[in-house]
Amino acid sequence: SPAIHLGGDEAWQLGQCAPCKKAVGEGKFGKQRLYLDHLGRYARMIRAAKKEVWLWDDMLRNELPPDSRKKLPKGVTLIYWDYQPRDGQYRPTHLPHLEVYHANGWQVYGASAAGGADGWNGDLPVYSNRMDNLDWWAEAAEIGAAATGHIVTGWTRYSSLQTPCDPFPTAWPSVYYAGERLWHGLGSSRESFERRFLSA
């Protein structure tokens, strides 16, 4: 693979064990520094192996410490996920951290959700939500938001011990729509897609 995704999302227990509390210290950015130190080590190893490094962005969404640029190599790609439908309409306020990431020298990919994002106990994606979510991401790309690319996610469960949510095959309509919308841009429409999809 040309890229390795380190994950790193939703690290809610960051800084809670005794050695981590000591490493965090008293400063405002202690947890962020701990996080960046830890993942920065692995990112540099992967970069040394001539591979791309991908990392979920959500733990970096708060105000970043001044030395953050030194902690993560410039070759890191942040995957900026947002799965809200927002009526399919993009506004720059939807992605308030995008310019900060860009200014720090990090490449950014957007991430929408084709399935699994409408509740841990779902049995089917809410297709209108999933397609609305993709629409505003595509619209962001069309107006020149500072993202290099886009990935479409689909989840099987919210945590290891929970029951599975939407079976992945139920996400195929959203995945197909994502392919059309992202590749054809303004030359596509959901109405046309749905008509063709349902008649196939």
Side-chain angles (χ1 to χ4, degrees):
S1 170
I4 294 178
H5 199 319
L6 283 175
D9 61 324
E10 299 181 348
W12 295 317
Q13 294 176 325
L14 184 67
Q16 290 188 12
C17 70
C20 293
K21 284 180 181 177
K22 184 177 179 181
V24 164
E26 300 297 327
K28 178 181 177 183
F29 297 118
K31 286 188 178 183
Q32 289 96 326
R33 284 203 180 96
L34 176 65
Y35 182 81
L36 291 165
D37 281 344
H38 178 69
L39 288 171
R41 248 193 336 265
Y42 293 104
R44 280 184 279 278
M45 289 169 57
I46 295 166
R47 292 291 295 159
K50 310 295 185 194
K51 293 182 181 291
E52 295 176 31
V53 180
W54 289 11
L55 178 69
W56 293 117
D57 83 297
D58 56 283
M59 295 302 292
L60 303 175
R61 288 188 189 178
N62 295 322
E63 187 178 352
L64 298 173
D67 61 351
S68 61
R69 189 180 307 207
K70 294 180 285 186
K71 299 294 184 183
L72 284 180
K74 283 192 177 179
V76 168
T77 296
L78 294 179
I79 312 299
Y80 194 153
W81 60 267
D82 190 312
Y83 308 134
Q84 297 302 312
R86 297 201 170 96
D87 297 320
Q89 304 295 312
Y90 172 69
R91 294 179 184 81
T93 53
H94 294 160
L95 301 173
H97 305 282
L98 194 56
E99 293 299 333
V100 175
Y101 295 159
H102 188 67
N104 273 268
W106 295 323
Q107 181 169 259
V108 179
Y109 286 180
S112 59
D118 297 301
W120 67 269
N121 59 348
D123 54 1
L124 283 172
V126 179
Y127 294 113
S128 59
N129 286 351
R130 298 305 97 229
M131 292 179 182
D132 276 353
N133 176 227
L134 190 281
D135 277 338
W136 73 256
W137 268 113
E139 192 174 284
E142 288 157 1
I143 68 170
T148 302
H150 190 83
I151 64 172
V152 180
T153 70
W155 319 339
T156 53
R157 65 185 74 212
Y158 280 37
S159 70
S160 300
L161 299 179
Q162 285 184 301
T163 57
C165 54
D166 316 346
F168 187 76
T170 65
W172 280 119
S174 308
V175 171
Y176 294 147
Y177 179 65
E180 170 154 315
R181 184 71 178 83
L182 292 168
W183 281 320
H184 292 284
L186 296 173
S188 67
S189 77
R190 193 186 307 181
E191 181 183 7
S192 170
F193 169 81
E194 289 175 345
R195 186 171 60 250
R196 287 178 284 114
F197 181 82
L198 292 173
S199 66

